[in-house]
Amino acid sequence: MDGEGGGDGLRDYHGKRDFGRTGEPAGRQAPGDGGAAGEGGAGGEGGAPRFVVQIHDASTLHFDFRLQVADVLKSWSVPKGPSANPSDKRLAVPTEDHPLEYEEFEGVIPAGEYGGGTVIVWDHGTYEPLSHDRRGRPVDFAESLAHGHARFRLHGAKLHGEYALTRFRGGPDGGGTDGGGTDGGGTDGGGTDAAWLLVKTAGGGRGHGTPDPRRARSARTGRTLARVAAEEGEA
């Protein structure tokens, strides 16, 4: 599965960015450094894997949902954002793997750079993998993603309870499309037309839908997108 080797898992991520211009983290291993990145990459408190939801005001305003799997953050673009309402089914489009350090990234990506725009950390925390086979035996989380259905419980500042990611278009072999496209290659989500659904399934109470992203505040700093843009934007 892509992402198990740090260099390979972040190849697309590194190839799209000029780290002389963007303040985004390069990760623990830059291209050509050799060796495996992210040793002991289980991370998180007590070894629990991490998740982060970022609001990204780029060419289109959207949410980025990221789950730590091995030594990378598997990533999906969620146009309407994750919802705490089980009746909401959110489209989630796979993007390239990101380094673990990206969980803390908040700032302004310069215009002209890939994904140029303002980013805030809307929520972050840990998660519990819940996927199992028909006999109730636990299934490796990376394997469950590769098979197109993964269940997990979020422990965030804002998101709580059980969620599921289910692939409904594309597949590990690209579903008949070229699996080397820019949006699908890093997540085992399929080719450039791969798509998933992110749905809350249980637990944590029946919450509200996604907040207005322009009024939402960072879980790290309490800032809005406008505040970050004003404080950290290019002169």
Side-chain angles (χ1 to χ4, degrees):
M1 176 175 180
D2 268 349
E4 291 182 352
D8 289 340
L10 296 178
R11 181 173 50 223
D12 288 347
Y13 175 85
H14 288 133
K16 294 177 179 181
R17 291 163 174 83
D18 179 355
F19 295 103
R21 296 197 66 224
T22 182
E24 297 167 281
R28 297 175 185 173
Q29 177 176 318
D33 281 354
E39 292 182 5
E45 298 175 3
R50 305 287 303 177
F51 84 93
V52 62
V53 180
Q54 286 154 315
I55 301 178
H56 188 179
D57 189 9
S59 57
T60 58
L61 182 61
H62 64 279
F63 290 71
D64 289 311
F65 184 75
R66 313 189 196 281
L67 295 171
Q68 179 185 353
V69 180
D71 56 3
V72 296
L73 293 172
K74 295 291 181 185
S75 300
W76 292 260
S77 173
V78 183
K80 293 185 178 181
S83 176
N85 186 340
S87 66
D88 292 335
K89 295 179 174 60
R90 300 303 203 201
L91 174 67
V93 180
T95 65
E96 76 276 13
D97 295 347
H98 284 53
L100 299 181
E101 294 86 346
Y102 213 92
E103 180 193 341
E104 301 296 322
F105 177 71
E106 186 167 288
V108 177
I109 302 170
E113 280 296 298
Y114 180 78
T118 307
V119 178
I120 64 170
V121 175
W122 180 66
D123 195 16
H124 60 170
T126 61
Y127 77 92
E128 298 174 56
L130 299 175
S131 297
H132 55 78
D133 63 19
R134 293 179 180 179
R135 296 184 179 180
R137 296 173 300 190
V139 175
D140 177 76
F141 196 73
E143 182 180 345
S144 67
L145 284 174
H147 289 163
H149 181 71
R151 294 176 54 247
F152 47 93
R153 182 180 293 113
L154 297 180
H155 300 281
K158 301 170 184 176
L159 295 176
H160 307 274
E162 296 179 17
Y163 284 76
L165 272 165
T166 303
R167 184 173 55 228
F168 69 91
R169 189 172 66 217
D173 60 356
T177 67
D178 180 1
T182 57
D183 286 337
T187 62
D188 293 317
T192 56
D193 66 344
W196 297 61
L197 288 177
L198 174 63
V199 180
K200 183 171 186 182
T201 57
R206 184 181 178 87
H208 300 288
T210 309
D212 180 347
R214 297 203 180 277
R215 294 186 178 183
R217 293 185 177 273
S218 165
R220 287 189 58 232
T221 65
R223 298 184 296 175
T224 61
L225 285 167
R227 180 75 177 272
V228 172
E231 293 179 352
E232 301 188 26
E234 294 178 300

